[in-house]
Amino acid sequence: MPINAGQLRTLVVKPVLAALDLAAPDVAENLIMGTAAHESHLGDYIEQVGGGPAMGIFQMEPATLNDCYVNYLDYPGRAALKAKVDGFLAAQPALADGTPDKAAQLATNLAYATALCRIRYYRAPAAMPTDANDINGLAAYWKQYYNTPLGAGTVEQFVADYNRYLG
């Protein structure tokens, strides 16, 4: 059974985006909601079907998570943004050294997973679509910068899942 879309939007996505204070909140909100609708059918799956490494409602791979840190958040001048993202980490699950297990939290921590999804899109080389209600534009952006041209997903599938789960 999927997560209630209205509750996810109101209780998780909007507050996380507000806390991150990154540009284009309306477009980002719909893009992130659409990503969850397509990638996990709004939470039906938190582990990649077929045994792949992707986790959580956004089906982010640990390698993508690590790339967001190594090639973006860990850079000088981004300490404040990194602190905002890391502020969503929970104490558990944790690694053997007691630090939060970021990869596991993609599946267990909605706010942290949402923050990482936003960072993934924020790093894209092209600006997000300007119309928050242009589902085809959001789908094309998702395909290019989240699923990637080599990914199995299609713009048509994203649009269908957006309409099915978010109406």
Side-chain angles (χ1 to χ4, degrees), residues 8 12-17 20 32 57-58 60 88 105-106 109-120:
L8 179 64
V12 180
V13 175
K14 283 180 182 255
V16 168
L17 293 179
L20 294 177
I32 287 168
I57 65 170
F58 304 107
M60 183 175 281
F88 291 109
Q105 290 199 33
L106 291 173
N109 183 333
L110 291 174
Y112 181 71
T114 300
L116 261 295
C117 182
R118 179 63 183 108
I119 293 299
R120 172 79 170 143

Side-chain angles (χ1 to χ4, degrees), residues 71-146:
N71 293 310
Y72 191 75
L73 291 170
D74 288 341
Y75 273 50
R78 296 191 181 120
L81 180 58
K82 180 180 178 182
K84 289 178 184 178
V85 171
D86 286 351
F88 291 109
L89 284 165
Q92 296 295 324
L95 300 170
D97 66 2
T99 60
D101 184 341
K102 293 175 181 172
Q105 290 199 33
L106 291 173
T108 63
N109 183 333
L110 291 174
Y112 181 71
T114 300
L116 261 295
C117 182
R118 179 63 183 108
I119 293 299
R120 172 79 170 143
Y121 283 122
Y122 191 71
R123 296 179 59 208
M128 287 191 295
T130 55
D131 183 353
N133 298 310
D134 176 7
I135 308 311
N136 287 312
L138 297 176
Y141 196 82
W142 160 84
K143 176 60 182 166
Q144 181 68 35
Y145 298 110
Y146 199 90

Side-chain angles (χ1 to χ4, degrees), residues 28-107:
E29 181 181 317
N30 284 349
L31 185 58
I32 287 168
M33 289 296 295
T35 302
H38 175 68
E39 294 288 343
S40 69
H41 295 173
L42 215 55
D44 269 350
Y45 305 101
I46 59 170
E47 182 176 53
Q48 187 172 352
V49 175
M55 300 293 287
I57 65 170
F58 304 107
Q59 292 293 286
M60 183 175 281
E61 295 183 3
T64 302
L65 164 83
N66 292 334
D67 180 67
C68 286
Y69 276 89
V70 171
N71 293 310
Y72 191 75
L73 291 170
D74 288 341
Y75 273 50
R78 296 191 181 120
L81 180 58
K82 180 180 178 182
K84 289 178 184 178
V85 171
D86 286 351
F88 291 109
L89 284 165
Q92 296 295 324
L95 300 170
D97 66 2
T99 60
D101 184 341
K102 293 175 181 172
Q105 290 199 33
L106 291 173

